[in-house]
Amino acid sequence: MTERYVLDLREIDESQIAVVGGKGAHLGSLSRIEGIRVPAGFCVTTDAYRRVVAQSPSLDAQLDRLSRVSPDDQEAIRTLSAEIRRTIEEIAVPDDLVGAITRALARSGERTAYAVRSSATAEDLPTASFAGQQDTYLNVVGTAAILQHVSRCWASLFTERAVTYRRRNGIDDRTVRMAVVVQQMVFPHASGILFTADPVSGDRTVATVDAGFGLGEALVSGLVNPDVFRVRHGEVVARTISAKQREVHALPAGGTREVSIDAQRQEQPALTDAQAIRLVELGRRIEAHFGRPQDIEWCLADDDFHIVQSRPITTLFPVPESSDQENHVYVSVGHQQMMTDPMRPLGLSMWQQTAMARMHEAGGRLFVDVTQRLAAPTSRAGLLDLMGRGDPLVRDALETVLDREDFVPSLPDAPPAGPRGGAAPEPVETDPAVVTGLIERSQASLAVLRRDVRTKTGPELFDFLPTAFEEHKRVLTDPLNFKAIMAGMEATWWLNDKLEEWLGEKNAADALTLSAPGNITSEMGLALLDVADVIRPHPEVVGFLEGVEDDGFLDELAKLPGGTEAHDAIQAYLDRYGMRCVGEIDITRPRWSERPSTLVPVILDNVRNFEPGAARRRFEQGLEQARKKEQDVLSRLRALPDGERKADEAKAMIDRVRTFIGYREYPKYDIISRYFVYKQALMAEAERLAQAGVLADKEDVFYLTIEEFHDVVRSRRVDDRLVRQRKDAFRSYQALTPPRVLTSDGEALTGAYRRDDVPDGALVGLPVSTGTVEGRARVILDMADADLEAGDILVTTFTDPSWSPLFVAVAGLVTEVGGLMTHGAVIAREYGLPAVVGVEQATRRIRDGQRIRVHGTDGYIEILS
C-alpha cells in the first residue's frame, strides 16, 4: 500500500486510528455528523512520523534504554524522555513530506492561522483517554512555523507525563505512533468543555458545561474558574457564574497571550442558558454517534458552536445493559463477596452460571438488580434491614435513591406465598449434628464431582458442566444450609442488640465467638502456623525459602536437611486449602496450588514472629476468653430484674452462636473447592487447544465466556481480535472503582456514614470486632508482599478468606470494603482482632508505616503520626 503523508479531515473516519491517531480519527468522524461544525484541516499521518524517526539510528538505542527503566524511576524517565524529544526535533523533515504539508496549507491559504495538535495512536480511546499527555500549539502562522510545530508534536509523544501514563496503562512505547492534526483556528467569544454525563456522579442524564471567555487554554491551564451549567432533559437545573478575571487571546502574528477582562464583564456569564441547552443538544448528537458519553471541547464564534475535540469519558463506571427503558437500581456483588477487583469474562460467566440470583455485568463487576424489592414496602424494609446490618453504606446509598421519589416505582406488596395462615418455617435446632451432616453431604457431592469430571474432555466436558452447576446450586440452596447460616448470624444480632439494651455493652457477641468451633477459614490461618513450626528448626530451609522467586521451589526442598518434612507440611496444607487465593470468586485467579510461592512470605513471617505451638495456644486462649465472657455476661444478667429469664435466653443464644457461626464460612469453601475442580478440567482443555495451535496462550480462554469457550472447543477456531479487545477492556476496568450502588442513569453511589460521634480528623467505618489497638499501619494490596511484625495493623482494600493466614500475625484490621458478617469481620472476631471495615479510601488516606489507633468498638481510626 502506498504511504500517504497527509489526509484531509473529511477523508478520515474512526477506523483509521492507526493512520491518524485517536484525536484525528475522532475529528474526522465528528466532521461527518450532521449539524456538527468542525474547523477544516488535515492530518499528517503516522506514516510521516514513521518515515522521520527511521532516519535516526540513535533512537532505537534510546528506546531500548527507556524500556529497561523502572516505571517508578521518574528521574531516569525524565532524563531519557527529554533526550528522545531532542533527537526527534533535530531530525530534518524530508522534502517530499514538506511538499505534501505545504500543498495542504496552500489550499487554505498559507497565512491562515492554525492549531497544530498531537494525535497519538493510543489516545482518545474508549479505554484510555490520554487527555493532555501530548502537546497542542494554537495560532501557528506560516509554513516554516507549522513544520517546526509538527516536529514538536512528534517529539511530544515522549513527554515525561505521556511515557509515565503509558507505563501505568500497560502500553509499550514502541507500539505507539504519532499523527498531527493541523486545523484552521477559531477565534472564539467563549470556549470550554462539555461533559455529556456528570463526571463526578456518573449520572448520564446530567450534562455539565464549563465555559469561559476567549480561548479554552484559560480553563485547561486553571487560569480562571469556569462558569458551570448543569443541564438535564433540556433544562438548566443549576448554574454557577464565576468571576473571570483573565482570558487567553490569539495574537495577529501568531501565538497567544493572557489579557485582563474588563471589570464589568468579569461576572457576566460566558453563555446564556439557551446557548448551554443548544450546546448540550449538539453533545447528545455526538454522544449518540460514538455510542458512549463524551468529553467535548467547544468554541463559540458568531453564535455558532465549533467542536474542536471529542473523546470518551473513561472514568465513568459503565452501566449494566437492560432490555427496557425503565429505571433500575443495582447493588454490587463484589462488595458482598469481598472482591471488588474486575473479573475476566470466564470468571464473570462462571459466577453468573453458579450463583443463586440473576447477575448483571458492568465494568468487569457483577451487580444484582434490586428495583422490584425496593418498590414494595415489605420487601423494601427487609432489603434495607439486611443491607444495613451487613454494610450501612449500601443501605445509605439505597435510601439516597429512594429519597428521589420518582425514581423507584411504588408497588403493592405481593400476596404471601403458600396457604394463608400457614406457620413460619421451623427454626433449625441448636445441634452440632446439623452442621456435621451438612458438611458430610457437601463433601460427598464434591467427591462425586471429582470422580465424574475426570472422564470428560472436549465438548463432552461442556455438556457435563450444566449438570455439575445444578448440583452445585442444589447443595447451596438446601433449606437447611440457609437456616444454619442464618441461625449463627441472627443469634449474633440478637446478642448484640439485647446485651446492649440490657447491659449497655456494644458488640458483646464479638468476645463470645472467639475460637468458635468448625470455622474452616480461621482453621486455615492457624494451620499455617503449624507449617511454620515444621520449618522453623531447619535454618537451611528457612534460608532457601527467603530466596524463593518462582513456583517450582517445592521440588527443590527435598534436597535440603529438613526439606522433606517442610515439603510434606506445605503440600498437606495445599491439599486442604490450595484451591484458595485472593479474589477467589474469579475462577481465572491463580490458586495457591498453582502459585504456592504466594504463601512463602506469610510462612516466613510466622517463622519469625511466633514460638512453636502458637496455633494451639492461640485457639485455647480464645476458647478460655469466650468461656469467661459467657460467665461474666450471664452473672451480670442474673443480677438484673427478671434476670434469670434474660440469662436463660442469652445462654440459649450463646450456644446457638457457637454451634452455627463457624459454619458461616463453610459454603464458600465448598464453592471454591468446586471451582478448582472446574478450573482444572477447563485448563486441561485450554492446554490441549494451545498445543494444537488453536490458542496463542492457554490463558486466552480467561477472556472468553464459558459459552464462547465451548464454541472454540467445538469449532477449533478462536476470534483473536475479540480476545485482544477483552484484554484491553479488562485493563481499563482495573482503573475503575466500583460503586456499592449503581442506577440505570449511571449514577454511582457509595453511601455515607451520618455520624457525629467521632473525633475530628478520624476515618469513619463500620465497627465489626471490638477492642482498641494502636500500632504500625501496614498497607498491603497484595498478600504476596506481606512483611509483618508483631503488633502491626493490616490496612487493605478487602479481605476474602485467603487473607486469613495474615490475620494471625497482626493486631488489628482496617479495610475499605466489608460488612458485619463478611469473612474478614467473622475471622477478626474469632481471632479477637479489633477491626473497622468499610473505611472509604483507607489505603490512600493511611500511609504505610504510620502509627494509627483502631477503635473496633466504635468504628473509627485515628492517625497518630
Side-chain angles (χ1 to χ4, degrees), residues 111 113 138-141 249-257:
R111 300 309 298 171
L138 299 179
N139 199 32
V140 182
V141 179
H249 270 193
L251 297 172
T256 61
R257 72 168 181 181

Side-chain angles (χ1 to χ4, degrees), residues 237-256:
V237 293
R239 75 178 64 70
T240 303
I241 306 304
S242 301
K244 300 169 286 295
Q245 297 175 338
R246 313 282 290 171
E247 62 181 310
V248 175
H249 270 193
L251 297 172
T256 61

Side-chain angles (χ1 to χ4, degrees), residues 543-741:
F544 170 77
L545 290 177
E546 285 170 344
V548 163
E549 292 182 357
D550 60 49
D551 295 306
F553 71 93
L554 280 173
D555 296 336
E556 300 297 313
L557 272 177
K559 302 172 185 175
L560 302 170
T564 301
E565 296 95 314
H567 171 281
D568 292 349
I570 294 172
Q571 190 58 57
Y573 187 87
L574 292 172
D575 290 344
R576 182 152 171 75
Y577 303 111
M579 78 294 289
R580 311 217 83 147
C581 66
V582 173
E584 61 192 10
I585 69 169
D586 182 354
I587 200 171
T588 72
R589 291 286 191 105
R591 311 285 134 174
W592 289 343
S593 286
E594 297 168 324
R595 195 170 289 172
S597 60
T598 305
L599 292 173
V600 170
V602 192
I603 293 170
L604 290 171
D605 281 346
N606 288 348
V607 167
R608 188 173 65 248
N609 293 332
F610 293 93
E611 296 296 321
R616 178 179 45 79
R617 280 196 308 278
R618 187 174 191 127
F619 187 80
E620 288 173 355
Q621 285 166 2
L623 212 53
E624 183 59 25
Q625 285 177 260
R627 285 196 197 104
K628 285 182 177 175
K629 184 65 179 178
E630 178 180 332
Q631 291 167 0
D632 171 62
V633 163
L634 296 179
S635 65
R636 287 159 62 201
L637 286 174
R638 289 190 184 103
L640 298 175
D642 198 17
E644 285 301 326
R645 177 188 63 80
K646 290 172 179 170
D648 289 346
E649 288 181 9
K651 171 60 176 164
M653 285 299 175
I654 292 169
D655 290 346
R656 198 163 175 78
V657 162
R658 294 196 67 80
T659 298
F660 291 113
I661 202 66
Y663 182 70
R664 162 75 180 80
E665 294 292 295
Y666 195 84
K668 185 73 171 283
Y669 177 78
D670 177 77
I671 291 170
I672 301 307
S673 297
R674 291 173 189 275
Y675 262 41
F676 193 40
V677 176
Y678 305 149
K679 183 176 186 181
Q680 288 173 307
L682 289 169
M683 293 316 291
E685 284 303 313
E687 183 70 52
R688 283 189 278 272
L689 289 170
Q691 288 176 352
V694 177
L695 295 174
D697 184 287
K698 66 180 180 180
E699 292 191 357
D700 283 353
V701 297
F702 292 166
Y703 299 92
L704 304 174
T705 65
I706 190 74
E707 297 86 356
E708 291 165 346
F709 190 175
H710 190 182
D711 288 342
V712 171
V713 168
R714 269 197 303 249
S715 68
R716 313 291 286 180
R717 287 195 307 274
V718 68
D719 184 345
D720 292 325
R721 185 167 166 271
L722 176 67
V723 170
R724 282 196 304 273
Q725 287 174 343
R726 295 268 179 83
K727 287 180 179 179
D728 287 343
F730 177 73
R731 194 159 39 235
S732 73
Y733 296 153
Q734 290 175 308
L736 299 176
T737 300
R740 284 175 165 80
V741 172

Side-chain angles (χ1 to χ4, degrees), residues 362-406:
R365 279 80 168 188
L366 292 169
F367 294 84
V368 173
D369 187 341
V370 296
T371 318
Q372 290 299 310
R373 292 181 68 185
L374 287 175
T378 301
S379 59
R380 179 192 311 138
L383 178 69
L384 290 175
D385 182 56
L386 187 64
M387 291 294 177
R389 283 188 180 276
D391 184 342
L393 292 177
V394 173
R395 176 173 184 145
D396 184 78
L398 291 173
E399 287 176 335
T400 300
V401 176
L402 290 169
D403 286 344
R404 298 166 194 151
E405 296 178 2
D406 60 339

Side-chain angles (χ1 to χ4, degrees), residues 329-333 357-360 366-371 373:
V329 182
Y330 303 97
V331 170
S332 164
V333 173
R358 184 168 177 234
M359 294 184 179
H360 306 261
L366 292 169
F367 294 84
V368 173
D369 187 341
V370 296
T371 318
R373 292 181 68 185

